[in-house]
Amino acid sequence: MNAPATTELPVVVIGAGPAGLAAAAHLVDRGLTPLVLEAGPVAAAAVREWAHVRLFSTWGEVTDPAAEKLLAPTGWVKPDTATYPSGGDWAEQYLQPLADALGDRVRTGATVTGVSRSGRDRIVDADREAQPFVIHITYADGHEERIFARAVIDASGTWATPSPAGGSGLPALGEKAAADHIAYRVPDFNDPAVRARYAGKRTAVIGSGASAFTALAYLADLAKADDGTGTKGLWILRRGISDSTFGGGEADQLPARGALGLAAKAAVDEGHADAVTGFRTEAVERDADGRLVLVAEDGRRLDPVDEVIVLTGFRPDLTFLSEVRLGLDERLQAPTALAPLIDPNVHSCGTVYPHGVNELSHPEQGIYLVGMKSYGRAPTFLAMTGYEQVRSITAALAGDLEAAERVELTLPETGVCGGAGLFDEPDAARNSEGGGCCATPATLQIGIGATASSGGC
């Protein structure tokens, strides 16, 4: 079958999550035809998997203007902009209605297995950019299809590819064998079966971001409950403790994000969790009773735990993009021009510089990674960043370059600075000339009677 003329083709959007559905809404607003391909059985399938987790952004920060415009004729009413939705609220009260408004422009149960140029693998230069994209799809019932597209917006996220426990970025020895006692998402402690799994048990939480804060706070709440007596957390950090470990606290311009860190600190200070620092997991072993023993690269062995929750971030799935030419940073796996703006090795202070089509373009013209996937392995992505990305990209696809290059976003500050790349040099950021937004940190008291060494800001 010959490929049709590119101008007659839809823009394929991979993923019916927040960024993907917003992209489709912007495309409709621009008079372009979207086709959204969602691997899950329903729109926002990934968001629904963390339905129990409350966002630290308010309703006013997690809806997109073009989406609201598309929803308006349906009678949709925006929730109170000052309140905080859970993942379930977000999916049911906004994302599903948006998918419904898009109608048959959203296909569920459609897994993208490959993206290429029609008749051109990644090697071939000749007449490459004149060819439409070809997308291979496998549906839930097993049948396959290929479709053509004028452009591709990959908003498939990173939820399906969590990072492992191993400190080297690879699974720790024995990690796969211990899978029955390891979780890679924040557990839903409202589920009786999940609650029973952790109640009265000793659980290691590996990670240092918002998800780890949430898990620690949930474990502390369980420990305080009548059915949770004996519940104990063990917080595993790859770097040391400093006053930035728990986030920006009251200095965070997203108060709920700052509160997460404070809740984690309270869990440790109140003795519901112990902190272990500088621990990079190399192996997961079992003791004589079948409990898990974490072993560090430096040979340290921790007392046995019953469960492990690994919250070390996510990474993009690039396997189905192997035949297109992407320009990705070698560390973050984010678009080359975007990477310096979000690199946690360098900074986490202040805002991410607003960005759009220019920073998200690749050597292969017409393909874009947006939303969480655009950040590669970098953390701290916000929904409003994704909405600005797709606004800019769709403007460019419609030929409105002035709008594409216009900045229409101001992000809230985290109240934190000092990059993750400094974790082996805790004094580097603190002693930098001028101090930037960082002040000399106070020593934190971690746990009952334990003192943490001060680190960089």
Side-chain angles (χ1 to χ4, degrees):
M1 182 175 73
N2 293 326
T6 302
T7 54
E8 301 170 1
L9 298 172
V11 175
V12 164
V13 179
I14 306 174
L21 293 173
H26 279 274
L27 288 165
V28 170
D29 193 48
R30 288 281 181 176
L32 301 176
T33 302
L35 176 58
V36 183
L37 302 174
E38 166 59 46
V42 291
V47 174
R48 296 172 195 271
E49 291 192 24
W50 50 271
H52 57 289
V53 177
R54 191 160 301 280
L55 281 72
F56 49 65
S57 296
T58 64
W59 271 113
E61 296 160 331
V62 296
T63 60
D64 174 81
E68 292 184 26
K69 181 179 177 181
L70 187 64
L71 283 165
T74 71
W76 178 79
V77 177
K78 185 174 182 177
D80 183 348
T81 58
T83 60
Y84 295 88
S86 66
D89 296 334
W90 202 18
E92 292 298 332
Q93 298 179 41
Y94 168 66
L95 297 172
Q96 186 61 57
L98 179 53
D100 293 341
L102 287 163
D104 60 8
R105 289 169 288 203
V106 177
R107 295 186 193 176
T108 57
T111 300
V112 173
T113 58
V115 178
S116 188
R117 290 281 189 180
S118 180
R120 308 289 188 276
D121 62 21
R122 68 180 296 149
I123 299 174
V124 179
D125 291 332
D127 203 27
R128 185 178 187 85
E129 291 181 5
Q131 305 306 312
F133 289 96
V134 60
I135 294 91
H136 284 219
I137 308 165
T138 299
Y139 291 94
D141 63 4
H143 86 274
E144 298 177 324
E145 182 185 14
R146 69 170 182 171
I147 59 175
F148 297 97
R150 61 182 295 180
V152 177
I153 298 175
D154 182 358
S156 59
T158 58
W159 179 255
T161 47
S163 296
S168 61
L170 301 172
L173 297 177
E175 182 173 345
K176 293 180 181 178
D180 56 335
H181 289 284
I182 300 178
Y184 294 88
R185 314 289 194 283
V186 176
D188 181 2
F189 288 99
N190 294 317
D191 182 324
V194 173
R195 194 173 181 87
R197 174 175 173 176
Y198 295 95
K201 305 290 181 60
R202 177 175 161 88
T203 299
V205 177
I206 305 176
S208 59
S211 294
F213 294 163
T214 302
L216 288 166
Y218 283 0
L219 286 169
D221 287 343
L222 180 58
K224 298 173 190 176
D226 292 341
D227 62 341
T229 302
T231 302
K232 183 78 173 185
L234 181 66
W235 189 15
I236 311 296
L237 297 109
R238 292 173 179 170
R239 43 181 169 160
I241 295 283
S242 76
D243 62 348
S244 67
T245 297
F246 300 96
E250 295 179 359
D252 196 320
Q253 290 182 8
L254 289 177
R257 181 172 59 187
L260 273 179
L262 296 177
K265 184 177 186 300
V268 177
D269 286 345
E270 293 169 8
H272 299 300
D274 297 322
V276 177
T277 61
F279 192 98
R280 299 176 207 170
T281 307
E282 181 176 73
V284 180
E285 300 177 355
R286 290 187 186 266
D287 69 2
D289 297 322
R291 301 176 78 199
L292 304 184
V293 176
L294 301 181
V295 183
E297 292 177 353
D298 61 10
R300 279 183 292 165
R301 303 172 64 87
L302 301 180
D303 290 339
V305 298
D306 301 288
E307 300 287 338
V308 178
I309 303 173
V310 180
L311 300 168
T312 52
F314 295 85
R315 53 187 60 179
D317 177 7
L318 301 169
T319 55
F320 62 87
L321 301 175
S322 62
E323 293 306 315
V324 290
R325 300 171 178 179
L326 301 179
L328 299 176
D329 179 76
E330 66 274 11
R331 294 167 298 172
L332 300 185
Q333 294 179 298
T336 305
L338 175 62
L341 309 180
I342 61 174
D343 188 351
N345 283 291
V346 178
H347 65 86
S348 59
C349 182
T351 62
V352 174
Y353 184 82
H355 57 276
V357 67
N358 291 334
E359 292 82 4
L360 297 168
S361 294
H362 294 275
E364 190 84 68
Q365 295 184 21
I367 187 165
Y368 305 94
L369 311 186
V370 303
M372 183 73 79
K373 191 164 186 176
S374 71
Y375 268 41
R377 300 192 184 199
T380 66
F381 181 83
L382 296 175
M384 62 185 83
T385 300
Y387 298 155
E388 172 65 6
Q389 290 176 340
V390 299
R391 181 206 64 79
S392 174
I393 287 168
T394 54
L397 291 173
D400 188 350
L401 298 183
E402 180 183 355
E405 295 182 359
R406 186 169 61 240
V407 172
E408 297 184 4
L409 174 68
T410 301
L411 292 174
E413 300 223 9
T414 65
V416 178
C417 58
L422 301 175
F423 70 90
D424 282 328
E425 303 174 61
D427 295 325
R430 181 183 65 205
N431 294 331
S432 61
E433 208 163 316
C437 65
C438 308
T440 300
T443 298
L444 292 176
Q445 299 299 314
I446 302 302
I448 299 173
T451 302
S453 59
S454 61
C457 57

